[in-house]
């Protein structure tokens, strides 16, 4: 396995120190359940998907994002919205990004 981007978790989930905390959820009956297999790899809470590893996402477990959409109605009745051009891909996007565990989105 190659080395991924600096912001991404390691490809081997056993190298992520807070993974069990990230993957522990409250079940409907009020008990805590860690979604980890015996080999240390996470389980998808919805079952098998056929995806191996992290897939296209950078983090093991939930990958939360905050992308606010800011719009205004112009005097002619059309709408305008705020967007940014990404430095890495040069594509247009809503401003925002990944939210790290414990980080506030406000």
């Amino acid at each position: 396995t190659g080395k991924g981007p600096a912001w991404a978790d390691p490809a081997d989930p056993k190298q992520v120190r807070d993974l069990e905390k990230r993957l522990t959820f409250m079940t409907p009956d009020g008990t805590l359940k860690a979604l980890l297999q015996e080999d240390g790899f996470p389980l998808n809470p919805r079952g098998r998907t056929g995806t191996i590893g992290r897939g296209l996402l950078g983090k093991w477990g939930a990958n939360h994002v905050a992308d606010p959409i800011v719009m205004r109605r112009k005097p002619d009745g059309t709408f305008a919205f705020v967007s940014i051009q990404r430095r890495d891909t040069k594509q247009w996007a809503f401003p925002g990004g990944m939210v790290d565990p414990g980080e506030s989105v406000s």
Side-chain angles (χ1 to χ4, degrees):
T1 59
K3 190 174 182 181
W7 53 266
D9 281 343
D12 181 355
K14 291 175 243 142
Q15 296 176 356
V16 180
R17 68 185 151 95
D18 64 343
L19 186 61
E20 187 169 355
K21 180 179 175 185
R22 276 197 235 165
L23 297 173
T24 300
F25 297 91
M26 183 78 67
T27 63
D29 66 0
T31 59
L32 291 176
K33 179 178 181 183
L35 297 173
L36 285 172
Q37 300 179 100
E38 290 179 15
D39 63 2
F41 278 78
L43 290 167
N44 185 321
R46 298 212 177 245
R48 297 180 65 96
T49 63
T51 300
I52 297 171
R54 288 189 321 257
L56 297 176
L57 301 174
K59 303 284 185 182
W60 289 101
N63 283 258
H64 298 286
V65 297
D67 293 330
I69 300 174
V70 180
M71 297 178 62
R72 72 175 175 113
R73 185 185 302 258
K74 296 179 359 182
D76 65 3
T78 61
F79 289 95
F81 63 91
V82 176
S83 64
I84 61 162
Q85 189 172 27
R86 292 177 52 114
R87 289 187 205 131
D88 56 350
T89 64
K90 305 296 183 218
Q91 292 183 326
W92 289 95
F94 294 119
M98 301 302 290
V99 179
D100 292 325
E103 184 179 21
S104 173
V105 296
S106 58

